[in-house]
Amino acid sequence: MPTEPQPGTLYIVGTPIGNLEDITYRAVRVLQSVDLIAAEDTRHTGKLLHHFQVKAPQISYHDHNRHSRHPEILEHLTAGKAIALVTDAGMPGISDPGYELVIACIEANIPVVPIPGVSAVTTAVSASGLPTDRFIFEGFLPVKGQERQSRLDSLVSEARTIIIYESPHRLSQTIKDLTKVLGIERKIVLARELTKLYEEFWRGTLEQAATQLKNKEPQGEYTLVVAGTPTALPYLSAVEIESELKAIMLQKVSRSQASRQLAKVTAHSRQELYQIALTIVMNEAATET
C-alpha cells in the first residue's frame, strides 16, 4: 500500500466523533496531502482542519447536493486529483450519502481507499455490556408511517444485538415504539455524546428507559444498543399460523392485534401474520381489521 495519497484516488477518511485525539496519524497525513476534501459540513470540518493545520481546500458534499456533486468530484478524480471524503463525525458512508459516491467511483474504475477511524456503532456496542459477537446496525429508523412500523416489526425475532441512531427530540417516541414491539423487559443501553465531555452510558430495560426519559430531558446525539431476542423464536407452518391466529381471534381480538401478539412469540413478522389473518373466515365478532 503506498504511503502517500495517490493521484486519482478517493480516500474515505474516518474523523473523530467527539474527542479530537481519536483521529489517527494516517488520517491526518492523508488530509494534509490530498488535493481536495469533500466534507458534509465545510464549517464543521474547517475547525478540525485548522486544529491539525490542514490547508487542503474543501467542497461540500451532503445529502442535498450529492447528485449534482458526483460529476464534479469524478471529473477531479479522473483528472488525477486525490480527494478525501469526510463526514461530520465517524466513518463516511455510515448513515450518510457517502456510499453513493463510493459506488459512482467503483463504477468509473476509480480507486477507493478506506482510512479507518472511530465509529459510534462499534464504540457504543463495545462498552454496552450486551453481546458483541453478532450485531446489526439499523441506522436511523424511518420517522413515521408504515415504513417505520414494518422496520420495528422486523426486529421482533432478531436474535443479534441491535444498534440504532436517534436524535434527542425523537428518542422518547422511539423508546415507546420499541417497548410496544419488544416488550418492557428488553434490555437497552442509551449511549450519549460518545467520546465527548458529557459521555454517558445508561443501562436498563425499555420500561426503565421510558421512566428515565420522563425525569431527564434527552440531550445530545444517542446511539441505542438493544438486546436481541433472548431465545430463538419458532417458525410455524401455514397451518399452524392459521390455527394460532384463530385461537387468539376467538377471544374477540382484532386481526391486527392477533397478528401483533403472535409476532412477539414467533419468528414471523406482524405484517406476514396479518396477511394470513385477512384470509381467515371467522363467524365471531372478532373479524374487524
Side-chain angles (χ1 to χ4, degrees), residues 5-6 20 52 60 79 85 90 110 132 143 173 175 191 224 246 282:
Q6 298 299 296
L20 293 181
F52 289 105
S60 64
L85 175 67
I110 292 171
T132 59
V143 176
Q173 184 61 50
I175 295 300
L224 314 183
K246 280 184 177 180
M282 298 288 291

Side-chain angles (χ1 to χ4, degrees), residues 124-139:
V125 74
S126 68
S128 68
L130 295 176
T132 59
D133 53 337
R134 298 177 68 221
F135 58 85
I136 62 166
F137 175 55
E138 287 290 325

Side-chain angles (χ1 to χ4, degrees), residues 7 15 28 30 35 49 71 97 127 143 171 173 175 208 213 220 258 263 278 282 284:
T15 55
V28 172
V30 168
D35 300 299
L49 302 184
V143 176
L171 179 62
Q173 184 61 50
I175 295 300
Q208 292 168 340
L213 294 174
L278 289 175
M282 298 288 291
E284 304 293 328

Side-chain angles (χ1 to χ4, degrees), residues 59-76:
I59 60 170
S60 64
Y61 178 81
H62 48 71
D63 191 52
H64 301 295
N65 73 352
R66 64 190 190 279
H67 295 303
S68 61
R69 281 295 194 202
H70 284 174
E72 179 182 354
I73 294 175
L74 291 177
E75 183 177 351
H76 284 308

Side-chain angles (χ1 to χ4, degrees), residues 88-151:
D88 286 351
M91 285 298 293
I94 308 299
S95 281
D96 73 30
Y99 79 96
E100 295 183 10
L101 180 58
V102 171
I103 292 173
C105 288
I106 291 172
E107 291 177 346
N109 292 317
I110 292 171
V112 178
V113 177
I115 309 299
V118 67
S119 170
V121 177
T122 51
T123 301
V125 74
S126 68
S128 68
L130 295 176
T132 59
D133 53 337
R134 298 177 68 221
F135 58 85
I136 62 166
F137 175 55
E138 287 290 325
F140 289 95
L141 295 173
V143 176
K144 57 184 178 180
Q146 185 57 47
E147 186 181 3
R148 180 179 177 88
Q149 189 60 55
S150 295
R151 184 80 71 82

